[in-house]
Amino acid sequence: MKIIQSVTEMSQIMQDLRRKDQSIGFVPTMGALHEGHLALVRKSLLENDVTVVSIFVNPLQFNNPEDFLKYPKMPEKDRLMLEQEGCDVLFTPVKDEIFPPDYNQRFQLGFWDTVMEGAFRPGHFQGVARVVYRLFEIVHPHKAYFGLKDYQQFIIISKVVAPYFKDLKISGLETVREKSGLALSSRNLRLTPIQYEQASHVPELLKIAAGMLGKKNLQEIRDWFQAELSKYNELRPEYLEFAHADTLQPFVEGDAPSNYRIFVSFYAGDVRLIDNMAVQ
Ligand code: PAF
């Protein structure tokens, strides 16, 4: 596996590969890799000639500076995992090269930035869009892979960032979960055993809440969910929403509940977690 830090070198290698008609698959990450990331890498390895993974903890997308400082970093373990998977190129750029002073690309995120994660994490998606645009510009992939745990991010990247790159296809892969159902996340590493155990109940509650859509009204579903979470002393819900899978428009009472997803964010101790799933 080639490890590249320089943006110039990375662009050159990618241009050479394109000239040789090699297809490039790209998995952007912030490191602290887990099976969820590896599922994306494996899919890219299957579908492309060359697979590139980037590791860059993007300061622009952390609306909470403490969250940025506490974000887990384990570069050596990440490198070994990628090597074992057969990843071709690991790109580990530095901040000054990703965001040079003259980089001023900004995005109109509109409605998608006003709901759920957008509402609770001001500036987060602008930061995500800016880094992903810049990484696409450097890597210039044919396909890029994202986990659907960050569903709203997937929608914003697909609808706002990817259209700037004309032969780029965005692929979203279903969330990988622990046996308990807990969605894999690098942030899980920060949970105490008790927080971890309690957080593991949330996906089951989410599934039950999803099954109530169309049968109970939204307030009843939210009250039920809140009451269930309050049984766990470490858990605190932030939002519970039902939104359309393509548009993220909120479910309106009386709509047919088809093609909706349920979205949650909650705290386990001081660790903020998100999850979502399709309403069956
Ligand atoms: O999903 C992530 O890990 C990050 O938001 C991404 C897409 C790598 C951008 O920093």
Side-chain angles (χ1 to χ4, degrees):
M1 181 174 73
K2 267 199 173 75
I3 302 180
I4 295 168
Q5 194 173 61
S6 148
V7 162
T8 314
E9 193 186 347
M10 188 69 195
S11 307
Q12 253 153 24
I13 294 174
M14 294 297 112
Q15 273 168 33
D16 287 351
L17 287 170
R18 275 193 166 248
R19 240 176 263 126
K20 291 179 196 150
D21 269 341
Q22 298 275 289
S23 60
I24 302 167
F26 180 41
V27 182
T29 82
M30 299 206 296
L33 303 180
H34 51 63
E35 276 297 316
H37 297 110
L38 297 186
L40 306 178
V41 173
R42 286 174 199 140
K43 183 85 170 153
S44 171
L45 287 165
L46 278 178
E47 295 185 346
N48 302 281
D49 297 318
V50 175
T51 289
V52 178
V53 173
S54 65
I55 295 183
F56 177 68
V57 186
N58 170 29
L60 297 195
Q61 71 188 75
F62 288 85
N63 51 308
N64 174 353
E66 206 180 305
D67 195 23
F68 174 61
L69 292 175
K70 287 187 176 164
Y71 201 82
K73 293 167 194 81
M74 40 193 67
E76 192 47 28
K77 186 163 174 244
D78 289 345
R79 185 184 65 74
L80 283 172
M81 284 167 94
L82 292 173
E83 218 144 40
Q84 256 165 25
E85 288 303 321
C87 170
D88 301 291
V89 182
L90 168 59
F91 180 40
T92 57
V94 295
K95 180 174 171 251
D96 291 353
E97 278 212 286
I98 288 292
F99 298 122
D102 61 346
Y103 176 63
N104 46 29
Q105 183 79 20
R106 289 260 187 327
F107 298 86
Q108 293 296 332
L109 303 175
F111 169 75
W112 290 310
D113 198 26
T114 64
V115 289
M116 300 187 288
E117 291 303 281
F120 281 89
R121 301 186 67 189
H124 167 67
F125 286 125
Q126 191 60 241
V128 169
R130 295 187 76 199
V131 80
V132 171
Y133 177 92
R134 183 77 178 116
L135 290 167
F136 284 170
E137 200 175 52
I138 298 161
V139 177
H140 203 182
H142 296 93
K143 282 193 187 163
Y145 298 84
F146 296 86
L148 293 186
K149 183 177 77 68
D150 297 297
Y151 195 89
Q152 196 171 356
Q153 162 175 285
F154 170 75
I155 292 286
I156 288 176
I157 291 170
S158 305
K159 297 194 189 279
V160 181
V161 183
Y164 284 88
F165 301 86
K166 78 173 182 325
D167 65 350
L168 170 62
K169 186 170 169 291
I170 301 292
S171 200
L173 267 70
E174 262 309 333
T175 305
V176 178
R177 296 176 182 278
E178 302 278 8
K179 273 206 191 74
S180 66
L182 184 65
L184 293 192
S185 162
S186 306
R187 288 189 167 85
N188 293 352
L189 292 168
R190 292 183 46 213
L191 299 171
T192 64
I194 287 174
Q195 290 164 357
Y196 183 91
E197 198 282 317
Q198 295 191 358
S200 299
H201 293 278
V202 173
E204 192 49 40
L205 296 175
L206 213 50
K207 214 184 283 174
I208 299 172
M212 294 177 180
L213 191 66
K215 299 182 190 113
K216 291 191 180 297
N217 72 38
L218 291 176
Q219 197 50 51
E220 282 169 334
I221 302 175
R222 287 198 179 105
D223 289 348
W224 173 83
F225 187 76
Q226 167 96 39
E228 287 298 315
L229 247 65
S230 69
K231 295 178 184 164
Y232 302 100
N233 65 331
E234 294 281 348
L235 304 186
R236 184 162 51 86
E238 194 171 53
Y239 63 73
L240 182 75
E241 295 289 349
F242 291 90
H244 193 272
D246 295 330
T247 62
L248 297 186
Q249 287 291 338
F251 178 80
V252 177
E253 229 74 72
D255 279 358
S258 75
N259 208 15
Y260 278 87
R261 293 184 81 91
I262 184 167
F263 294 82
V264 70
S265 97
F266 64 99
Y267 280 89
D270 68 346
V271 183
R272 187 176 182 278
L273 299 173
I274 57 172
D275 200 353
N276 74 90
M277 56 182 70
V279 173
Q280 300 299 341

